[in-house]
Amino acid sequence: VMHERMDPQAMNPAEVSAQMMYLSTWLRGLVSREANVDYARNLTVDVGKIFADLDARANRAKVSKSSKLSNEMMLSRATKATTEDDVHKENEHLKPRTNQSVQTDAIQLPVLDELPSPQKLPKGNNGQGASETQQLVPFPISVTVNLTEGSPLVLVNGCIEAASLLKKSDIVRIYDARESLNWELASDPKLDDVLSFELVSGYDHSKIKAQEAKSRYDALNRLCYPYKKELIVTPVKSTAEHLRAFEDPSRHVASDMDESHHSPLHLRGARIWKLIPKENDTRTQWRVDYDDGIIPWDNCYAGLNAFEEHFRVRVSLDMIEKQCIDSPYPLERAVHQQRIQFFEKVPFLEVIDEAFHAVCRWHPKGTLIDNVKWAKLCRQMRFLSNMKNSKHEIDMAFVRHSDARKLDLVRFHSILDDIASMQHPELTKENALIKTVWSSIVTLTDVNAMMWKEAKAMALRHESVRVCAETRIAAFVRKEIQESKYKEMKSAALIIQKQMRQVFAR
């Protein structure tokens, strides 16, 4: 208020209205009466920035107004030219025909609707491309990164050995393996005070924020309006609406009537993936889903009074569950048990049993598997895809093992053994079944959910046993220390009593 630009005597009446001049006079009088005027006049550094922003906004408004007028003039000229062209076309039949040269070479027109997919990187994409067009998949790097939106500098958390997999010109994805943009490394990771590297361009988090906003919008519509299917489709938003959708209450925001200014978004502990050729990726589908971070971690014991007791020690499962959450760092360096370590230790027969019950729950629900459900299962799992006449072999296997065109649990086990032996004839019967189950059966939605739930339960159980054992050992050690101190103090007291009795006896 006390800035020199707000002085009514310095204002130009042609540019400032009388109401604004009166308001400035009233505010300056109020500040001079209620506050320290000398102190207020010294606060001119930040106020100068505000006036600079106001001047810049006024200039932008003038430029936008002039550009709008120029666009209107160009549109009117184009309309006039189109009208003249139509008149010429109408009178074209009155003109004499002349010889025209014809271009016989093929013209290469750009295809506008063929855009590159997120995993196919065109050559030279301004720091976000690959050296050649090929299908790439994200492979996790066992480190986390800290970065700021708009800055190319990335700080690495974790061991140097894992970060050594990153090299200059590698393509990486940050924070989300499937929704993130592709970022190219401008330098190798180097260790100064901290391990860090740089990107070719500043990091942009807008795509992930837009996807999160879309997911929230769709989820709210499904919950609030389940009977209105058309509301589930997210409408197309303008750029300004997208910017407003990115507003996060955890970020500092300074807003006014026209626009909002965000402070940079700081990401801490974000995961990172390196894009590698798909033919070099030997992971199974369940491991790919886990590495991409799409397997949810549910806090089942949060707020529950659930305990595990071992060695006469009780431990809260809520605390154990928080300790065993998935870690992005190498498994050999994990402090607590991880569910990924127990996924392949789920009993093999339980996996097949759950697959049978999952297929039985398909519509129409029942207790047995008919030929329709069996054919659907084979199509989804791609059974016998390496054979020419796979459909005939699958039908014949069903005929051999079914009873009244139905499969019960025992017959389901036997038909899977038969299919696995035909699909992997080079392996033994047991190894062929194991490979078939781990490559296809575990990808069923219900089976996959059951296995991750069981793996998590096994991890919590092992962690609780370890914590209870540590607590019992620590208690035993403290007991021994206290007993030794007590015995030492008791012997010292007896010696002192003996000496004192001898002194009093004299």
Side-chain angles (χ1 to χ4, degrees), residues 56-68:
R57 185 183 303 174
N59 294 331
R60 287 198 301 270
K62 293 179 181 179
V63 171
S64 62
K65 184 176 181 180
S66 60
S67 62
K68 183 177 180 181

Side-chain angles (χ1 to χ4, degrees), residues 141-147 152-167 185 187-199 270 272 329 333:
I141 305 299
S142 300
V143 296
T144 58
V145 295
N146 301 339
L147 67 163
L153 181 63
V154 180
L155 305 180
V156 181
N157 309 317
C159 58
I160 302 178
E161 293 80 5
S164 62
L165 297 176
L166 298 174
K167 303 295 182 183
L185 269 66
S187 63
D188 294 335
K190 56 184 179 180
L191 181 62
D192 295 333
D193 294 336
V194 293
L195 187 63
S196 64
F197 61 86
E198 290 188 357
L199 304 175
I272 183 171
Y329 301 107
R333 300 196 177 190

Side-chain angles (χ1 to χ4, degrees), residues 247 253-261:
E247 293 184 2
V253 179
S255 60
D256 55 18
M257 295 174 58
D258 301 326
E259 57 186 345
S260 60
H261 303 278

Side-chain angles (χ1 to χ4, degrees), residues 18-201:
Q19 291 85 354
M20 292 297 298
M21 297 178 65
Y22 175 78
L23 177 62
S24 177
T25 304
W26 180 78
L27 289 174
R28 290 172 69 87
L30 179 64
V31 170
S32 61
R33 184 172 67 252
E34 299 293 340
N36 188 348
V37 179
D38 295 333
Y39 174 73
R41 287 172 177 168
N42 293 331
L43 299 179
T44 58
V45 178
D46 296 335
V47 178
K49 295 181 180 179
I50 296 175
F51 280 105
D53 292 341
L54 293 174
D55 294 338
R57 185 183 303 174
N59 294 331
R60 287 198 301 270
K62 293 179 181 179
V63 171
S64 62
K65 184 176 181 180
S66 60
S67 62
K68 183 177 180 181
L69 293 175
S70 62
N71 291 336
E72 292 178 354
M73 294 177 63
M74 292 178 63
L75 182 61
S76 62
R77 291 176 182 176
T79 306
K80 183 178 180 182
T82 304
T83 306
E84 294 178 356
D85 291 342
D86 294 340
V87 174
H88 292 324
K89 288 181 180 179
E90 292 178 358
N91 299 331
E92 190 174 5
H93 66 282
L94 301 177
K95 296 180 181 180
R97 295 182 178 272
T98 57
N99 295 331
Q100 297 179 355
S101 60
V102 180
Q103 182 177 356
T104 58
D105 296 337
I107 301 176
Q108 299 293 335
L109 296 178
V111 182
L112 300 180
D113 56 347
E114 293 183 1
L115 298 177
S117 63
Q119 294 184 359
K120 291 191 176 182
L121 307 175
K123 184 177 181 179
N125 192 15
N126 191 19
Q128 299 181 16
S131 59
E132 58 182 4
T133 302
Q134 57 182 345
Q135 189 169 6
L136 304 177
V137 294
F139 185 83
I141 305 299
S142 300
V143 296
T144 58
V145 295
N146 301 339
L147 67 163
T148 302
E149 189 174 15
S151 173
L153 181 63
V154 180
L155 305 180
V156 181
N157 309 317
C159 58
I160 302 178
E161 293 80 5
S164 62
L165 297 176
L166 298 174
K167 303 295 182 183
K168 183 180 179 181
S169 300
D170 284 346
I171 308 299
V172 298
R173 291 181 181 175
I174 300 174
Y175 190 84
D176 194 300
R178 303 192 177 183
E179 298 296 335
S180 171
L181 296 174
N182 301 319
W183 305 97
E184 182 179 354
L185 269 66
S187 63
D188 294 335
K190 56 184 179 180
L191 181 62
D192 295 333
D193 294 336
V194 293
L195 187 63
S196 64
F197 61 86
E198 290 188 357
L199 304 175
V200 171
S201 58

